[in-house]
Amino acid sequence: MSKPFVMLVDDEADFIDTMSKRLEKRDVKVLTAYSGKEALDKVSKNQNLEVMILDVKMPEMDGLEVLQEMKRHYPLTEVIMLTGHATIESAIEGMKAGAFDYLMKPCEIDQLMEKVRGAAEKKRSQEEKIQKARMEKVMSTRGV
């Protein structure tokens, strides 16, 4: 599997710095954003993004709002929700809105990597199916 392309979104700069270094050491391409708005702006310029690791509690635009926007505009990009303030309600809400998974902060890097790989694999698989369906449609319209 080629390098997963991940965006870390959190308003805590120390968390982003530490986590991006740890992910890069594990052969992950990392893009960072310090707010929901910045994340959505960057995604529009990086549409090959596979996985967003998203903090739930952020000022201005919280993680659930970002998740909903992501699923509206980039439905194949997988989102892993992270929070230090997990509640069952926010986890359920995130999963209903289309989050790939939900982890508590601080999380083990190996656990996060397992989720990142699974999410990237899911996105790649969905893209493959779409490509295959498009090819089959083209072939059938040409009588092949």
Side-chain angles (χ1 to χ4, degrees):
M1 180 165 151
S2 61
K3 276 186 178 192
F5 184 21
V6 171
M7 181 187 290
L8 271 176
V9 186
D10 198 308
D11 59 316
E12 295 175 38
D14 290 346
F15 176 79
I16 292 244
D17 295 343
T18 303
M19 204 48 110
S20 56
K21 285 176 189 153
R22 294 178 82 188
L23 289 169
E24 285 166 351
K25 280 183 185 170
R26 287 163 177 80
D27 217 24
V28 174
K29 181 180 176 185
V30 180
L31 191 62
T32 59
Y34 299 92
S35 72
K37 185 180 178 337
E38 181 186 358
L40 294 171
D41 289 345
K42 285 187 173 182
V43 172
S44 70
K45 298 174 188 94
N46 294 277
Q47 294 188 14
N48 57 338
L49 180 74
E50 293 176 298
V51 182
M52 180 180 279
I53 300 169
L54 178 61
D55 188 27
V56 172
K57 295 268 188 219
M58 292 186 293
E60 294 170 40
M61 187 178 207
D62 73 21
L64 287 170
E65 290 173 289
V66 177
L67 171 64
Q68 290 163 345
E69 283 300 301
M70 284 298 296
K71 289 301 167 183
R72 186 175 303 126
H73 299 287
Y74 311 99
L76 296 182
T77 302
E78 295 298 336
V79 179
I80 298 169
M81 305 295 286
L82 270 189
T83 187
H85 324 274
T87 64
I88 299 298
E89 294 78 29
S90 64
I92 290 169
E93 225 176 299
M95 298 306 275
K96 278 184 185 172
F100 177 78
D101 213 329
Y102 202 96
L103 292 172
M104 286 288 293
K105 272 168 50 178
C107 64
E108 291 293 318
I109 190 69
D110 292 337
Q111 184 184 24
L112 181 60
M113 279 306 301
E114 190 179 305
K115 303 290 183 198
V116 164
R117 284 191 197 99
E121 238 169 70
K122 182 177 176 188
K123 181 177 192 240
R124 291 173 186 186
S125 171
Q126 289 172 324
E127 286 174 335
E128 257 175 50
K129 287 175 186 170
I130 289 168
Q131 286 291 85
K132 189 176 178 184
R134 285 183 181 147
M135 288 300 291
E136 287 171 1
K137 185 177 180 184
V138 167
M139 300 299 239
S140 69
T141 58
R142 295 193 177 150
V144 177

